[in-house]
Each structure stands twice: as C-alpha cells, then as structure tokens.
C-alpha cells in the first residue's frame, strides 16, 4: 500500500508556461491532472514519489525558453520541444510527502530531503541501452514535457523511472538547489578529459561555468584559467579554484593564453557562456589537438571558420549535456565537503509571484548568478 500524505490538496499554486513570454502564476493547478495524471491520490504507482518543493532554480535554459529560443519552440529544422501548458523547472529540491511503495521497500522515506536527475529516461531507447540515459530519445526533462511537470510549484511528482538522490538535511534547500547546475558542470569538466598538468580555460562563470571550475580543479590541471566579463564573477571563480582570472573586456585573452603557454594555447577549453563570440575565441585560443567542450544553450546561431577545427588544428570538439552518469553524486559530495562556495553562487531567492523578474535577472546576468524561487513563500 502506498504511503500517502492525506493533506495533499486537490489544487496547488504554481507557475504555468503557456507559450513564449507567457508564464503565469496559477492559484489552483489541479493535482489530479499534474501530480497524478488523472489518477486519484490512492493510485500512486510503485516507484513514484511526491515531494513538497522547497526550492527550484531558474536555469539559463528556462530563461531562453521564456524568450523564445528555437531549440525549445522549433524552427525550419526542429520540432517544438516544449509541451504546453507545463509547470517549468528542472533544478529542484524538496521533502518527500508520499511514496508509491511500502515505505520499507522504497529508496526514500517520507520526510527525506531529495532531488532527482533532471531527465526521466525511458530505459528502452538506443541511448539508454548504451548506458547514455542523459541522451534518452524521448528526452523527458522535468519542466518541458507534460508527463514530467517541473518544480516551479508547491508540489511535484517523480515518475517511476526517476533517479532520486537523498540529500542530508545539513545541506539547506538554498544550497541544494545548486546541485543540478553543479552536476552539469561536473559532466562538462569530465568531458574535457583533463590530464595532470593541462592548461584548462573555462569561459563563462555563471552557475555551470563555476561548477566546471570547481570540478576541473579536482582533476589536477597545471593551470586553471577562468574568463568572464564581470569581475565579481571572477572573484568567485578564484574561490572555486581558478589560478588565473581574465576579463575579455579588459585584456586580449587570446594573446594572454598564448603567452602563458609558450605560444601553443590551452589544452582544454570549456565553453559555458552561450555567446557566439566565446566559441570563436576558444577556437583561436586552443592548441592543436586540443579538446573543446561546448555546454551552453544559445539563443542565436554561431558561425565559425571550420577550417580551424580540421585542417588547421585537428581539434576534438565535444558536446556536453545534462549531468552524465555520476554528476549528481559528485555534486552532492562537493557541496557536503564545502568544495565550492554555494552561498556566493545562489544570489537570489524569490517568491513564485516574482518569476518573471527572476527570468529577467537570469537573462540580464548582471547582478545575479543562480536565481531560485521558493514555492513555500
């Protein structure tokens, strides 16, 4: 028999995405439709978990989705990814209030603080069978598809295939909300195959970029260099482990990196800005046979001289998406060990009523890094 909290209301408060720049706070979202997929509370399936959301981050992807980026809403070559109306949010933490198994059989208990991987993999497609669940073909990421409503509401459901992580309660919700972007930074750094002594450049010190800096530091590079156009973010990058910080608005960073490496260039370039200029900059900055990792959501198309990639430098161009296989485990451990200054990275915690303001903070990127909403307010 499922363990059900009888206090779960028939309706709850949350944000609904209905279209481009059409995100509204709804006072009465039907639990039956969003939490239970038309079932009653008593019909929670084995493996399903309900949580009371305590925090949900606003990802750069969420902000660019709100703005109308084609990767979410489609273009001449891509079908729309977003299924509306849907509750956004894939960077969440909360308290377990109901489980679909007998409690002694479940991986979590009522009252536990938990999160779940941002993608609910099908387990059947080509990628899942190859062990690449973060590339799952149906690609049900919380907050974009209606079968996996996200965390920008008071409650949410983890479906049966969700990979759930228990978070010790000494990690506060305001810290735990950073687990998802940090896990992405961990995966991005891992994709760079950093070797001892490498010169590693991280371009962009937002939530994922700072996670890349901290994760790259653990790999033992010879030099770890962070780039950003805001000095305040570069100060935090130093706290995350950067040996050198450079502001492209104040110096010629391509020349600087070449001078630091006897004219060769960096071994690994981790791109985390979502700005086309950063991509071009990286191609000029990286050495021959170097490793370029792209982990960004772009609003605009990027044009580069592909001759640099092949005939000139024979580069390894690597994409990075989601959290890989161990991103969440490593991220939780890093926060527990205080290997990253989370308290400086999570800069804003807003009520659901201020969701548009939060999205604007993320899109502007001037006085914020990680912006979160608190559905309990």
């Amino acid at each position: 028999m499922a363990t059900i909290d009888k206090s779960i209301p028939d309706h709850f408060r949350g944000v609904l995405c209905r279209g481009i720049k059409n995100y509204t706070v709804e006072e009465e979202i039907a639990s039956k439709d969003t939490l239970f997929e038309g079932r009653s509370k008593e019909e929670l399936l084995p493996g399903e978990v309900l949580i009371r959301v305590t925090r949900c981050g606003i990802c750069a992807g969420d902000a660019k989705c709100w703005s109308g980026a084609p990767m979410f809403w489609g273009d001449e070559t891509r079908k729309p990814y977003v299924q509306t109306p849907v509750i956004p949010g894939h960077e969440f933490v909360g308290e377990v209030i109901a489980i679909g198994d007998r409690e002694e059989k479940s991986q979590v208990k009522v009252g536990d603080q938990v999160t779940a991987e941002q993608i609910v993999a099908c387990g059947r497609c080509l990628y899942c069978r190859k062990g690449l669940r973060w590339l799952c073909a149906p690609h049900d990421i919380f907050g974009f598809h209606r079968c996996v409503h996200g965390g920008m509401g008071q409650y949410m459901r983890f479906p049966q295939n969700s990979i759930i992580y228990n978070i010790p309660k000494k990690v506060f919700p305001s810290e735990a909300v950073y687990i998802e972007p940090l896990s992405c930074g961990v995966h991005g750094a891992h994709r760079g195959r950093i070797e001892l002594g490498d010169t590693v450049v991280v371009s962009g010190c937002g939530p994922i970029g700072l996670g890349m800096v901290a994760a790259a530091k653990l790999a033992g590079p010879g030099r770890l260099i962070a780039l950003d156009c805001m000095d305040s973010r570069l100060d935090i990058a130093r706290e995350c482990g950067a040996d050198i910080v450079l502001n492209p608005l104040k110096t010629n960073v391509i020349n600087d990196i070449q001078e630091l490496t006897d004219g060769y260039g960096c071994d690994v370039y981790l791109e985390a800005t979502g700005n086309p200029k950063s991509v071009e900059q990286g191609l000029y900055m990286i050495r021959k046979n170097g490793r370029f990792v792209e982990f960004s959501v772009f609003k605009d198309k990027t044009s580069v001289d592909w001759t640099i990639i092949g005939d000139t430098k024979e580069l390894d161009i690597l994409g990075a998406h989601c959290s890989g296989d161990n991103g969440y485990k490593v991220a939780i451990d890093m926060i527990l060990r205080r290997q990253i200054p989370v308290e400086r990275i999570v800069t804003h915690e807003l009520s659901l009523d201020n969701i548009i303001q939060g999205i604007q903070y993320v899109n502007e990127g001037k006085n914020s890094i990680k912006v979160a909403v608190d559905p309990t307010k």
Side-chain angles (χ1 to χ4, degrees):
M1 179 126 187
T3 303
I4 300 292
D5 184 338
K6 300 298 183 183
S7 66
I8 298 170
D10 292 330
H11 298 85
F12 64 94
R13 198 164 187 264
V15 175
L16 275 183
C17 163
R18 298 184 183 278
I20 297 171
K21 295 187 178 181
N22 187 0
Y23 285 43
T24 57
V25 178
E26 304 288 335
E27 298 296 330
E28 293 195 344
I29 296 174
S31 299
K32 187 172 183 179
D33 294 337
T34 56
L35 298 182
F36 302 102
E37 292 191 311
R39 295 175 267 129
S40 69
K41 298 177 187 178
E42 290 72 20
E43 294 176 308
L44 200 62
L45 300 175
E48 290 186 325
V49 172
L50 295 185
I51 69 166
R52 181 179 291 108
V53 181
T54 52
R55 294 293 189 282
C56 185
I58 303 174
C59 176
D62 294 319
K64 288 173 181 174
C65 179
W66 177 84
S67 300
M71 72 167 290
F72 299 105
W73 300 101
D75 55 21
E76 63 275 8
T77 59
R78 292 173 287 188
K79 294 180 180 179
Y81 179 67
V82 184
Q83 299 171 354
T84 58
V86 64
I87 302 173
H90 57 273
E91 303 177 358
F92 45 78
V93 60
E95 178 186 354
V96 175
I97 58 171
I99 56 178
D101 297 302
R102 290 188 177 184
E103 192 158 344
E104 65 272 14
K105 291 185 177 181
S106 175
Q107 59 183 309
V108 296
K109 302 186 299 295
V110 170
D112 284 349
Q113 179 175 237
V114 297
T115 189
E117 289 191 5
Q118 69 278 80
I119 186 166
V120 182
C122 72
R124 300 181 300 275
C125 72
L126 171 67
Y127 305 108
C128 287
R129 295 198 307 271
K130 285 180 174 287
L132 302 169
R133 64 180 180 277
W134 57 96
L135 300 178
C136 174
H139 222 64
D140 291 329
I141 294 181
F142 284 104
F144 295 106
H145 289 176
R146 285 183 51 79
C147 61
V148 281
H149 285 281
M152 293 187 191
Q154 293 174 313
Y155 301 92
M156 67 181 297
R157 174 181 61 96
F158 297 163
Q160 290 173 299
N161 287 350
S162 302
I163 298 179
I164 303 171
Y165 297 90
N166 207 318
I167 307 166
K169 289 191 175 179
K170 64 181 179 180
V171 177
F172 298 116
S174 58
E175 300 170 319
V177 74
Y178 183 56
I179 289 170
E180 193 277 345
L182 177 54
S183 72
C184 292
V186 168
H187 181 50
H190 178 73
R191 288 284 285 163
R193 304 193 302 271
I194 298 167
E195 298 177 0
L196 292 174
D198 276 350
T199 295
V200 177
V201 173
V202 178
S203 181
C205 294
I208 292 178
L210 290 170
M212 285 180 175
V213 172
K217 188 68 174 180
L218 298 178
R223 284 192 202 89
L224 181 55
I225 302 165
L227 311 179
D228 200 275
C229 294
M230 296 178 62
D231 290 338
S232 58
R233 292 190 176 197
L234 292 175
D235 289 340
I236 300 174
R238 284 193 184 277
E239 290 189 43
C240 292
D243 302 305
I244 300 169
V245 298
L246 299 170
N247 186 330
L249 298 180
K250 297 180 177 181
T251 185
N252 187 322
V253 293
I254 297 172
N255 288 348
D256 291 344
I257 299 304
Q258 288 176 339
E259 288 177 8
L260 286 167
T261 57
D262 299 323
Y264 290 104
C266 61
D267 300 282
V268 180
Y269 186 87
L270 306 177
E271 205 293 306
T273 69
N275 188 315
K277 288 189 178 298
S278 175
V279 176
E280 186 177 20
Q281 166 186 280
L283 292 177
Y284 286 115
M285 184 183 297
I286 198 168
R287 68 161 171 82
K288 293 180 181 180
N289 201 229
R291 300 177 296 284
F292 185 118
V293 179
E294 180 55 65
F295 200 142
S296 289
V297 176
F298 288 81
K299 185 176 183 295
D300 301 309
K301 292 182 179 180
T302 300
S303 297
V304 298
D305 181 357
W306 272 64
T307 308
I308 299 171
I309 296 169
D311 191 55
T312 305
K313 291 190 175 182
E314 195 175 273
L315 299 177
D316 286 346
I317 303 296
L318 303 157
H321 174 65
C322 285
S323 306
D325 192 35
N326 291 311
Y328 274 77
K329 291 180 182 178
V330 174
I332 293 170
D333 188 62
M334 288 175 69
I335 291 174
L336 282 169
R337 292 173 180 267
R338 302 298 170 184
Q339 292 174 321
I340 189 163
V342 182
E343 71 283 353
R344 294 200 63 191
I345 295 172
V346 180
T347 55
H348 292 75
E349 293 182 284
L350 310 173
S351 69
L352 290 176
D353 291 319
N354 294 314
I355 180 62
I356 303 304
Q357 181 183 21
I359 289 171
Q360 290 170 341
Y361 282 155
V362 174
N363 275 332
E364 291 167 2
K366 293 180 180 178
N367 300 306
S368 66
I369 301 180
K370 173 44 58 190
V371 179
V373 293
D374 180 354
T376 68
K377 290 182 178 180

